[in-house]
Amino acid sequence: MKEITTLIEPRSEKGFVETPYVKDITERALAIIRAGFPVHFRGPSGTGKTTMAMHVANRIGRPMVLIHGDEEFTTSDLIGGERGYSKRKVVDNFIHSVLKTEENMTKNWIDDRLTVACKYGFTLVYDEFTRSRPEANNILLAILQEQMMSLPAARGGEIYMKVDPNFTAIFTSNPEEYAGVHKSQDALRDRMVTLDLDHFDEETELAITVSKSGLSEEEARRVVSIVRGFREREYLYDFAPTIRACIMIAKIIKVRNAAIDAKDGIFRQTCTDVLSSETSRIGRRAKDTSAKDTILELVDHYCQVDLPAAQGTAQVGGKILSYPLEKAGAAGE
């Protein structure tokens, strides 16, 4: 019996952002785990499920085993199976005139990631577990409830293995309406505590954008405001733009040395490109045109450099005078 798996050592994540929103989710998840239950992060794409799972696993402090759900998975992909052969050959020539040869070939059993995690008490992060077929995950039912793992006789040794008390399971999943996602068994879902994640609050999105892109806080705030403003207009998109849109826009602008300015053509085009691709499943001309017009309106609204004009005020003879924005535009033409 052999074990072949890759472990991830717990360590502090470089550039990880911990705002009150993130700390609250982390503490809730750790409390669930300390109480003896698996935790399940569920939410749309881009809401930080995998990042939160990895962060909580790092906080636990034990070696981590990572599994990504897959349509082609079977139970053997989780617990292990017979893979390859071992060949043994004995040649006996003790008596010079007699040659005796004995050959033996046996199948090798190799424990896979779930078995290794249960045996040694590692932390299991099962990312997007509902992308695996439900029958592949049946092995988890006894593990999570009875802390007992049933193993095939072909493995050799005991067919039941007691799960190490330090074993911890963290799951993530997308909503069931997503393509390629299976409906989870009710029995499995009943054995874990689910935390539903939504889009980050503004403070967290701002901090993440600054951390990931290197933009100044003021520049990042403009990008985040555009994305959040577009997210509020649900009638314009198939999928809500996520924090990934903020990071993409910020990084592309950084690479192209463009300005976070409504007058910068590169910035305007980048916002349109990223937000259009992030939020639409199939290009529909009428809807896409309306969405792009709205994106540019948001760029104009949040990224005007000329603040007095944007505020509708002007200084004349030492006095501050207010005027309607449309009139100001006419006067400048």
Side-chain angles (χ1 to χ4, degrees):
M1 185 191 316
K2 299 180 179 179
E3 298 164 353
I4 299 179
T5 191
T6 300
L7 301 179
I8 302 174
E9 288 293 331
R11 61 182 184 274
S12 58
E13 301 117 298
K14 183 179 179 181
F16 185 82
V17 171
E18 271 202 302
T19 61
Y21 173 88
V22 173
K23 289 180 181 178
D24 175 64
I25 295 173
T26 302
E27 292 306 318
R28 287 156 59 193
L30 289 172
I32 292 166
I33 290 168
R34 285 193 292 267
F37 302 103
V39 66
H40 171 211
F41 293 111
R42 178 177 61 189
S45 175
T47 52
K49 303 179 297 298
T50 304
T51 301
M52 287 303 307
M54 299 293 283
H55 176 62
V56 171
N58 284 329
R59 287 284 301 273
I60 293 171
R62 292 187 60 78
M64 184 193 323
V65 174
L66 178 62
I67 299 176
H68 296 286
D70 191 288
E71 168 75 19
E72 301 300 322
F73 267 5
T74 63
T75 301
S76 64
D77 291 297
L78 300 176
I79 66 173
E82 293 177 330
R83 297 165 190 168
Y85 293 86
S86 292
K87 184 178 179 180
R88 180 173 178 268
K89 183 177 181 179
V90 178
V91 178
D92 184 355
N93 196 24
F94 182 75
I95 300 174
H96 183 69
S97 59
V98 178
L99 179 62
K100 182 180 178 181
T101 303
E102 180 182 338
E103 292 189 23
N104 186 25
M105 184 176 289
T106 58
K107 292 181 178 180
N108 290 330
W109 177 279
I110 298 179
D111 285 341
D112 221 316
R113 289 163 289 182
L114 179 58
T115 304
V116 172
C118 291
K119 183 177 180 179
Y120 296 107
F122 297 152
T123 300
L124 169 70
V125 176
Y126 196 165
D127 189 36
E128 298 194 9
F129 79 100
T130 50
R131 292 193 180 276
S132 302
R133 291 192 179 100
E135 56 268 26
N137 293 328
N138 284 339
I139 185 69
L140 292 165
L141 296 175
I143 292 173
L144 300 183
Q145 184 64 41
E146 287 82 24
Q147 285 73 54
M148 188 71 67
M149 188 175 189
S150 299
L151 295 166
R155 179 177 181 269
E158 297 292 332
I159 62 172
Y160 295 107
M161 183 179 72
K162 186 69 176 175
V163 176
D164 188 285
N166 290 314
F167 171 76
T168 302
I170 304 173
F171 299 86
T172 76
S173 73
N174 288 126
E176 292 176 359
E177 63 267 20
Y178 273 46
V181 173
H182 296 278
K183 183 177 181 181
S184 174
Q185 308 100 305
D186 292 337
L188 180 56
R189 192 166 55 243
D190 187 54
R191 285 163 165 77
M192 58 182 72
V193 178
T194 298
L195 299 180
D196 285 308
L197 302 186
D198 204 346
H199 298 289
F200 295 112
D201 62 359
E202 185 172 5
E203 177 188 5
T204 304
E205 289 191 329
L206 176 60
I208 292 173
T209 303
V210 170
S211 174
K212 296 292 185 181
S213 68
L215 292 180
S216 69
E217 183 174 331
E218 181 55 37
E219 290 174 325
R221 188 181 301 279
R222 294 182 175 189
V223 172
V224 170
S225 296
I226 292 169
V227 174
R228 291 179 68 88
F230 190 64
R231 188 185 300 154
E232 293 173 358
R233 293 155 171 79
E234 298 181 8
Y235 58 91
L236 288 173
Y237 54 75
D238 298 313
F239 304 103
T242 68
I243 181 62
R244 291 192 180 112
C246 300
I247 297 170
M248 288 176 183
I249 293 172
K251 283 189 172 183
I252 293 171
I253 292 304
K254 192 81 172 177
V255 167
R256 300 196 66 182
N257 292 318
I260 311 294
D261 181 354
K263 298 176 182 177
D264 191 299
I266 293 176
F267 177 62
R268 296 174 72 87
Q269 189 62 58
T270 300
C271 290
T272 303
D273 290 342
V274 172
L275 288 173
S276 296
S277 67
E278 268 256 305
T279 58
S280 177
R281 179 188 288 113
I282 301 173
R284 286 171 288 185
R285 187 176 300 275
K287 191 172 184 178
D288 285 352
T289 300
S290 180
K292 290 176 181 179
D293 289 343
T294 301
I295 293 167
L296 294 178
E297 289 174 6
L298 290 167
V299 170
D300 290 333
H301 178 73
Y302 288 110
C303 300
Q304 289 289 356
V305 175
D306 189 358
L307 294 179
Q311 294 170 354
T313 61
Q315 187 169 349
V316 180
K319 297 181 179 180
I320 301 296
L321 303 179
S322 299
Y323 53 84
L325 286 174
E326 58 271 18
K327 290 183 179 179
E333 292 177 354

